[in-house]
Amino acid sequence: MDSWLAVREAAAAADTPDMPPECREDVVGGLRVPWPAERARRWVAESDGRVVATMILSFQEVDNLDNVELDLVVHPGFRRRGIGTALHDLAVREARAAGCRRLMSESVRALPGGPASDGAGSLFARTTGATLAQTEVRRRLDVSTVDRTGLAARIAALTTDAAGYTLLGWCGAAPDDTVEGLAALQSRFLSEAPLGDLAWEPQQVDVARRRAGERSFAARGRVRYETVARHDATGEIVAWTDVNRYHRPADVWFQDITLVLPEHRGHRLGLLVKLANLAQVLDGEPAVAVHTWNAEENAHMIAINEEMGFRAVDAWDAWQLDLGEPAGRAGTG
Ligand SMILES: CC(C)(COP(=O)(O)OP(=O)(O)OC[C@H]1O[C@@H](n2cnc3c(N)ncnc32)[C@H](O)[C@@H]1OP(=O)(O)O)[C@@H](O)C(=O)NCCC(=O)NCCS
């Protein structure tokens, strides 16, 4: 575990210097209580008895069975020696052997004005034959710039405009009367979010999967705040957002999913749930920074984030490598 974390920490310092390194509790907790509907396999590469690279392949078990996610990291001091290529070849063999058709991976490159990095991942990915399927921009909110009084006033005004909806917020496990609605929203997320050319199908999330995800979150020591909007007339949960952090550091947060169902758009519910959720985090927790990722083409969500004070930092390229028809399935129609 020490060796694993050392590689990841050195790589994070080189590739995303303004972000915290991987958290030990998160890695250990994830081994004990894995994400539901996913089966992860891990490898390390050694050189003279020293761990110099790590690789995770995450296979899907319920939906998206054709896709496998690759997380490949080589220690910066051992790059350009063919280690990345050797591990990638292994990943392709394993993915094909498991009957998968696509290898999905991600890499980071610098943007003007952001932290310097050499963008090795994106240059490497091109050599593997992968296609750039989408780019997301990471934005960072410097919490010291947030005007807390202004935030409260903005939430109050937006709440007045969103008559007919009630906000509910919490930290940790979702209340029982929201969990079915949350599972339904999570199942719709991938069909509503812009995915570029990425071949992800909607997830199939039921209450059991949602609860299992909460247990994995807790085992990792992560802390998560969520806010939803409930449509008063029907009782349906129609908007949802989530901000979470690793066990350590305790003051760096990640703004994840935000979704408003199409039939309930136009009431500024997206901005409202995000601001209310942020206020709930800032009221209860230490916070220095919040990071978030948006597809370049997601103009509406980017406008919301810019309005909240998020500013662009770097670009995250999503790669997709077509592995061809799996041998075992060829000719089956
Ligand atoms: C991407 C990464 C895994 C590559 O590991 P590596 O061991 O250096 O890879 P290799 O030595 O096998 O490089 C293979 C080819 O990729 C290209 N490449 C890799 N890094 C490059 C760089 N910094 N600049 C230009 N080309 C680069 C080159 O064509 C290289 O061949 P060459 O050295 O003969 O010119 C490593 O840089 C890394 O861990 N980056 C951070 C995590 C990440 O982005 N992972 C990629 C997910 S796809």
Side-chain angles (χ1 to χ4, degrees):
M1 188 54 63
D2 288 342
S3 313
W4 177 280
L5 288 166
V7 169
R8 317 271 300 184
E9 185 172 344
D15 303 320
T16 47
D18 70 315
M19 286 186 75
E22 198 161 34
C23 163
R24 177 182 295 265
E25 287 76 6
D26 203 67
V27 181
V28 174
L31 290 170
R32 294 208 172 110
V33 187
W35 296 124
E38 202 177 281
R39 183 173 53 88
R41 293 189 61 197
R42 296 168 176 83
W43 287 262
V44 295
E46 290 183 346
S47 172
D48 292 331
R50 173 181 171 181
V51 173
V52 295
T54 65
M55 183 167 81
I56 311 170
L57 280 182
S58 302
F59 297 90
Q60 306 300 310
E61 294 200 303
V62 174
D63 44 58
N64 290 289
L65 301 178
D66 285 338
N67 295 355
V68 55
E69 285 178 276
L70 166 69
D71 175 329
L72 167 58
V73 175
V74 177
H75 188 291
F78 292 83
R79 292 181 183 176
R80 303 301 290 273
R81 300 180 189 190
I83 299 170
T85 302
L87 281 169
H88 194 274
D89 289 349
L90 172 64
V92 168
R93 285 198 303 276
E94 292 285 341
R96 285 207 174 111
C100 296
R101 301 172 60 151
R102 286 179 287 271
L103 192 61
M104 324 294 272
S105 60
E106 212 173 46
S107 60
V108 187
R109 63 188 158 79
L111 287 179
S117 68
D118 64 3
S122 296
L123 296 160
F124 171 82
R126 285 200 187 282
T127 71
T128 67
T131 309
L132 179 59
Q134 190 181 41
T135 296
E136 292 195 316
V137 169
R138 175 169 62 104
R139 287 181 171 73
R140 183 179 187 277
L141 174 68
D142 175 353
V143 172
S144 68
T145 66
V146 175
D147 164 12
R148 305 282 181 101
T149 318
L151 178 62
R154 190 88 170 88
I155 293 168
L158 286 164
T159 305
T160 309
D161 292 347
Y165 297 90
T166 302
L167 292 198
L168 306 166
W170 62 85
C171 177
D176 283 338
D177 62 350
T178 63
V179 72
E180 213 167 303
L182 284 164
L185 282 179
Q186 199 177 331
S187 299
R188 279 185 73 171
F189 181 69
L190 288 179
S191 58
E192 300 294 345
L195 290 178
D197 295 327
L198 287 168
W200 286 105
E201 61 189 29
Q203 293 182 312
Q204 296 164 27
V205 182
D206 56 12
V207 169
R209 183 166 170 186
R210 160 74 204 195
R211 288 296 191 210
E214 290 177 352
R215 285 194 291 279
S216 187
F217 246 88
R220 293 161 187 260
R222 289 200 196 179
V223 177
R224 174 165 62 172
Y225 283 81
E226 290 170 288
T227 294
V228 298
R230 193 174 57 205
H231 183 225
D232 295 335
T234 58
E236 191 184 6
I237 306 291
V238 299
W240 168 44
T241 196
D242 134 32
V243 168
N244 61 75
R245 67 162 168 85
Y246 292 107
H247 181 69
R248 273 182 291 189
D251 54 8
V252 177
W253 296 82
F254 303 94
Q255 165 71 62
D256 271 345
I257 282 173
T258 300
L259 175 62
V260 181
L261 290 183
E263 51 276 31
H264 295 274
R265 291 184 188 159
H267 305 281
R268 309 221 76 193
L269 287 175
L271 181 58
L272 174 57
V273 292
K274 279 182 107 155
L275 290 179
N277 203 40
L278 178 65
Q280 135 159 278
V281 172
L282 300 186
D283 285 349
E285 303 277 353
V288 171
V290 186
H291 301 264
T292 197
W293 286 257
N294 294 111
E296 277 175 326
E297 64 270 29
N298 197 351
H300 181 66
M301 198 56 74
I302 291 169
I304 289 180
N305 288 335
E306 293 277 345
E307 180 172 346
M308 290 173 73
F310 284 90
R311 295 294 173 258
V313 181
D314 51 19
W316 294 55
D317 291 330
W319 302 90
Q320 191 166 294
L321 177 63
D322 187 351
L323 301 173
E325 195 65 30
R329 293 196 215 165
T332 58

